Amino acid sequence: MRDGSGFVQCVAFKGDLSEALFDQLTRLPQESSVVISGPVREDKRAPGIPGGYEIGVKDIKIVQLAADNYPMALKEQGVDFALDNRHLWIRMPSQWAILRIRATVIAAVREWFEQHGFINMDTPILTPASVEGTTTLFETEYFDEGKAYLSQSGQLYNEANIMAFGKVYSFGPTSGLKNPRPAGT
């Protein structure tokens, strides 16, 4: 079972549940929504994140049954398939762990900057002109304003911010992505 805080193994014994509920539990599709009640037991063998504990199922309320053809089965998927189903892929333990680690690293970096007197000044993601004077930037239509480009750097904005605020940092996204087919090709 998974919630936003981690993964835990749930163990159900036939004698602890009604026959109908146990049967329904054994046929429960992956990604169904449930409310489980039961004691939490320490068990060093129990998998999960963080692991070492399991829930002994004494009662289960099925809130929603997922479709039987859930696309992200517990098997290897190709990268294209996984990216097309990213909203489901990030529920898998490996992706979940990677994103939690990333969030922890970002929090630590931000904390260090804040403790050392820096101010976060994230800069625009889209810019109306190329930062580095190149025509191979990734461009997109920006409503009825014409073209906009993915920002390659927050440097120009933060050079101005430094003069106004002193110690600044940018943790916002920028792009080194260039259009593979420059204009006119």
Side-chain angles (χ1 to χ4, degrees), residues 125-172:
I125 297 169
L126 292 173
T127 182
S130 63
V131 175
E132 298 175 5
T134 180
T135 59
T136 60
L137 292 176
F138 185 85
E139 68 181 31
T140 185
E141 291 294 326
Y142 188 72
F143 302 102
D144 59 353
E145 301 287 323
K147 304 276 186 213
Y149 304 91
L150 285 179
S151 178
Q152 290 181 292
S153 171
Q155 179 180 344
L156 293 177
Y157 290 99
N158 272 335
E159 285 175 358
N161 290 335
I162 288 168
M163 295 301 118
F165 296 95
K167 293 163 59 171
V168 302
Y169 73 98
S170 174
F171 215 79

Side-chain angles (χ1 to χ4, degrees), residues 54-156:
E54 65 184 19
I55 298 174
V57 179
K58 297 296 181 192
D59 190 30
I60 182 168
K61 177 183 175 196
I62 298 171
V63 178
Q64 171 267 335
L65 286 173
D68 286 331
N69 61 347
Y70 183 71
M72 296 300 291
L74 295 175
K75 61 183 178 182
E76 286 296 316
Q77 308 287 353
V79 173
D80 288 339
F81 181 84
L83 290 174
D84 287 345
N85 291 280
R86 182 162 172 73
H87 63 292
L88 303 175
W89 190 33
I90 61 175
R91 300 176 189 185
M92 304 304 279
S94 61
Q95 297 306 309
W96 184 91
I98 289 167
L99 291 172
R100 292 289 290 221
I101 291 167
R102 181 179 185 271
T104 301
V105 169
I106 289 170
V109 169
R110 287 182 182 273
E111 181 181 349
W112 187 91
F113 276 119
E114 297 295 327
Q115 288 175 351
H116 289 85
F118 286 81
I119 299 170
N120 182 22
M121 295 281 172
D122 287 339
T123 59
I125 297 169
L126 292 173
T127 182
S130 63
V131 175
E132 298 175 5
T134 180
T135 59
T136 60
L137 292 176
F138 185 85
E139 68 181 31
T140 185
E141 291 294 326
Y142 188 72
F143 302 102
D144 59 353
E145 301 287 323
K147 304 276 186 213
Y149 304 91
L150 285 179
S151 178
Q152 290 181 292
S153 171
Q155 179 180 344
L156 293 177

